[in-house]
Amino acid sequence: MRNKWSPKLAPDQTGRVAIVTGANTGLGFETARALAEKGAQVIMACRDAKRAESARQEILSQLPSAQITVELIDTGSQDSVRHFATNFQQAHSRLDLLINNAGIMITPYFQTADGFEGQLGVNYLGHFLLTGLLLPMLTATPGSRVVSLYSLAADWHGVQFDDLQFKEKYDATKAYSQSKQACLMFGLELNQRLQAAGNNTIALAAHPGYSKSDLSRHLSLPIRWMLAIFGPLILQPTADGALPTLYAALDNDLKGGEAVGPAGRKQTRGAPVVVPVNEQAQDAAARSRLWSLSEELCGISYVF
Ligand SMILES: NC(=O)c1ccc[n+]([C@@H]2O[C@H](COP(=O)([O-])OP(=O)(O)OC[C@H]3O[C@@H](n4cnc5c(N)ncnc54)[C@H](OP(=O)(O)O)[C@@H]3O)[C@@H](O)[C@H]2O)c1
């Protein structure tokens, strides 16, 4: 455990290639900017070309020599994820950092293009497929890492195996919790499978506590008003919220399989440290069950 960490303490990233999903705003934007500042070649993997280009220009205005490009991906569409992965593999010869960050929170019920419950599809299954498709490139790149963004909300409900797609009764908060718990379990299970196969790539999970971002856009108007008024008291600045992700991606003392979150009270804010995870995430059988279901749903078989 450390009291303070900043990307300044991390090694230079020149020559390394990073993908950040959902990099046009919020935590993804701050993560992309910080990685570019460390010298990495950053691919902003975003769903909207206009928003992504405007974010890229903002980063370039601050860091004119940044190596930063935009590639389109919709994590709610398996076709789009496959298209992105194919294009990426054709254009690049290495992948050092895959930051599975894109996300939505507490949305009204919808199904993704593939018929998955929306939050599970966008937040988790899209990233599960993306990581599986890019795995050969990751494992061929020495010292590569995968970071999965989860949330304190993972503890609220967890993965409900009896109705993964919320076909019985939709509950937006539980569906968000499930999707983030799945991201956490995936990060831990991926690392275990990588290590078991003797791969050099490591995987970690990270959560930002409560951080300012656009994530509340689907919440009800009264809650958004409350957040506008009281948010500054509750939420840490976006750049601070990106620190657990950056720590998980860059710190050399981490071995893989760790979850990282803020050190402060109830993990809501503060410097990034390794944090404990809930019971379901520690359950190897549950992680393995989720893995098998995810492979089936995404039509992919991971090759280690
Ligand atoms: N902020 C927090 O306190 C907090 C707490 C716990 C966990 N997190 C996690 O942190 C991650 C980043 O969230 P944030 O707080 O930075 O929220 P945000 O400001 O709303 O950013 C979310 C990003 O994800 C992108 N995205 C959404 N749906 C997508 C899709 N189908 N395909 C591709 N990209 C998509 C968004 O793109 P558009 O702008 O085009 O919609 C945006 O770039 C999420 O995984 C979230 O669950 C955040």
Side-chain angles (χ1 to χ4, degrees):
M1 298 266 279
R2 296 181 187 185
N3 293 326
K4 215 165 172 148
W5 183 86
S6 110
K8 289 197 178 93
L9 298 171
D12 183 73
Q13 298 293 304
T14 303
R16 304 188 87 213
V17 177
I19 294 174
V20 183
T21 66
N24 57 289
T25 187
L27 302 167
F29 175 83
E30 292 298 338
T31 303
R33 175 165 59 186
L35 292 176
E37 194 167 14
K38 292 299 298 183
Q41 181 184 350
V42 178
I43 290 86
M44 302 172 73
C46 301
R47 65 171 160 177
D48 183 282
K50 243 179 157 177
R51 282 198 291 273
E53 182 54 29
S54 135
R56 187 179 86 93
Q57 290 303 330
E58 194 179 333
I59 292 176
L60 283 172
S61 71
Q62 295 164 25
L63 304 166
S65 61
Q67 285 187 68
I68 189 152
T69 53
V70 167
E71 292 293 338
L72 292 183
I73 188 171
D74 177 353
T75 59
S77 157
Q78 306 256 300
D79 274 355
S80 168
V81 171
R82 287 183 184 278
H83 189 70
F84 174 92
T86 303
N87 285 350
F88 182 83
Q89 280 161 319
Q90 281 165 2
H92 298 272
S93 56
R94 61 185 297 146
L95 176 56
D96 298 86
L97 298 172
L98 173 58
I99 313 291
N100 289 327
N101 165 84
I104 49 176
M105 180 179 74
I106 312 186
T107 63
Y109 180 79
F110 74 99
Q111 288 187 352
T112 65
D114 309 282
F116 304 142
E117 182 281 313
Q119 299 186 74
L120 187 72
V122 168
N123 296 352
Y124 169 61
L125 289 170
H127 287 122
F128 183 87
L129 177 63
L130 178 65
T131 308
L133 294 170
L134 295 176
L135 200 69
M137 208 171 205
L138 283 160
T139 52
T141 306
S144 60
R145 291 189 187 193
V146 179
V147 180
S148 293
L149 266 281
Y150 77 108
S151 166
L152 287 170
D155 293 348
W156 299 344
H157 184 64
V159 174
Q160 54 170 50
F161 285 105
D162 54 343
D163 185 15
L164 203 64
Q165 305 291 351
F166 281 84
K167 284 186 176 141
E168 293 288 309
K169 185 172 180 276
Y170 183 62
D171 179 317
T173 304
K174 287 180 177 172
Y176 179 63
S177 172
Q178 165 171 272
S179 72
K180 292 282 105 180
Q181 174 75 356
C183 292
L184 168 61
M185 290 165 76
F186 169 55
L188 305 186
E189 184 66 15
L190 176 61
N191 190 70
Q192 195 166 60
R193 291 181 185 231
L194 284 163
Q195 304 312 298
N199 284 300
N200 182 248
T201 304
I202 62 171
L204 307 96
H207 84 79
Y210 294 153
S211 304
K212 200 170 176 300
S213 77
D214 290 336
L215 195 63
S216 59
R217 59 182 109 171
H218 297 291
L219 298 178
S220 67
L221 202 56
I223 295 186
R224 276 187 280 140
W225 279 342
M226 294 238 310
L227 274 177
I229 297 164
F230 298 113
L233 300 175
I234 307 163
L235 305 172
Q236 59 176 347
T238 319
D240 290 355
L243 290 178
T245 305
L246 290 163
Y247 181 62
L250 302 178
D251 191 80
N252 275 343
D253 288 344
L254 296 170
K255 303 280 177 258
E258 294 94 344
V260 175
R265 195 172 165 269
K266 297 195 172 178
Q267 297 177 35
T268 54
R269 55 171 62 230
V273 292
V274 173
V275 293
V277 297
N278 61 47
E279 215 171 287
Q280 190 185 44
Q282 292 175 46
D283 181 347
R287 292 199 311 263
S288 186
R289 186 175 176 193
L290 178 65
W291 188 280
S292 302
L293 281 168
S294 307
E295 284 196 329
E296 205 177 299
L297 289 166
C298 295
I300 185 172
S301 187
Y302 270 56
V303 180
F304 289 96

